Amino acid sequence: MAGASVSGLPSILFPTRQISDRIEAMAEEILRDPRIDGKFEQVLVVCALNGAFVFAADLLRAFAMRGGNFKVGFLKLSSYGEGTVSTGTVTMKQESTVDPAGSVVLFLDDILDSGRTLQFALKHLREQGATDVVSAVLLDKAERREVAAQADFVGFTCPDVFVVGYGMDYAERYRGLPYVGILDESAIAAEKVGI
Ligand code: IMP
Ligand code: MG
């Protein structure tokens, strides 16, 4: 069956199995967090759109199998536009679909990069009345941080490369790949000239 050798498929950085094992372990770690443990009724999971939807789906299923049937909301944020470099400004396209007031919010994002998205989201959720905000990201590009922002839970530390798959896109494509991959330069160049 297919692997990274299939022409046009991004090369594998984090394989499917490694991601699913890590998600199960993260679910256990998160459920043991004192801000969440014993307070399941108050927990609202907020998934950053678009990129975190696959991460959130897998983590939510891992929570549910451990008794964590949490409320779920979605917050649409954007910092990238169509390119591979952050624009430096975070815009909120849609507020959380579930009111965070009075909840312990677990904010989920795909990648922590400059840190601006996380910083923006945490501030926003607190301003909206969340009693506590806990954060988890699948990937942390630690060396690219530009503002002080740190996630409480990190799936993997990620090298400074542009990644796609497992919810993450390049110009809205590749989100369905079941692994995290690296897009080669020629695919990015081809996309730019529209071939
Ligand atoms: P930050 O605000 O610079 O920390 O950027 C975080 C957001 O940028 C994440 O929510 C991702 O959607 C996006 N992002 C950062 N790096 C990548 C990447 O390599 N591939 C796809 N999206 C990325
Ligand atoms: Mg994103």
Side-chain angles (χ1 to χ4, degrees):
M1 247 297 282
S5 59
V6 171
S7 124
L9 277 185
S11 55
I12 297 173
L13 180 61
F14 296 109
T16 308
R17 180 60 195 270
Q18 196 182 346
I19 297 171
S20 56
D21 287 350
R22 183 68 191 113
I23 299 264
E24 296 294 319
M26 277 183 100
E28 307 223 333
E29 290 166 22
I30 293 169
L31 294 179
R32 280 198 301 268
D33 186 288
R35 293 165 291 184
I36 289 177
D37 190 14
K39 298 184 198 142
F40 284 11
E41 291 304 313
Q42 285 153 260
V43 174
L44 166 66
V45 176
V46 173
C47 167
L49 293 174
N50 296 323
F53 76 106
V54 177
F55 174 47
D58 282 350
L59 202 52
L60 283 166
R61 284 179 284 194
F63 288 148
M65 292 307 286
R66 291 165 175 82
N69 289 293
F70 305 135
K71 290 180 281 182
V72 185
F74 299 88
L75 178 67
K76 189 162 170 62
L77 300 165
S78 173
S79 66
Y80 262 65
E82 294 273 294
T84 58
V85 181
S86 172
T87 58
T89 342
V90 180
T91 43
M92 188 165 55
K93 308 274 185 182
Q94 190 189 340
E95 293 202 21
S96 174
T97 56
V98 177
D99 183 4
S103 292
V104 174
V105 171
L106 173 65
F107 175 74
L108 304 180
D109 204 357
D110 50 3
I111 305 191
L112 178 52
D113 186 26
S114 73
R116 287 195 192 89
T117 302
L118 183 65
Q119 191 181 59
F120 180 98
L122 299 190
K123 180 167 177 282
H124 174 74
L125 291 163
R126 286 196 187 100
E127 284 170 359
Q128 295 295 301
T131 53
D132 245 323
V133 187
V134 181
S135 55
V137 296
L138 179 71
L139 304 177
D140 183 0
K141 290 184 180 173
E143 61 196 273
R144 289 183 38 97
R145 205 72 84 253
E146 288 172 26
V147 298
Q150 192 50 56
D152 296 305
F153 298 94
V154 170
F156 302 99
T157 300
C158 183
D160 183 11
V161 288
F162 192 79
V163 296
V164 293
Y166 199 72
M168 292 168 282
D169 73 310
Y170 173 59
E172 295 306 329
R173 298 207 280 139
Y174 301 102
R175 293 194 195 273
L177 273 184
Y179 60 89
V180 174
I182 303 174
L183 204 56
D184 76 36
E185 297 292 330
S186 61
I188 294 175
E191 184 77 40
K192 279 193 179 132
V193 294
I195 51 175

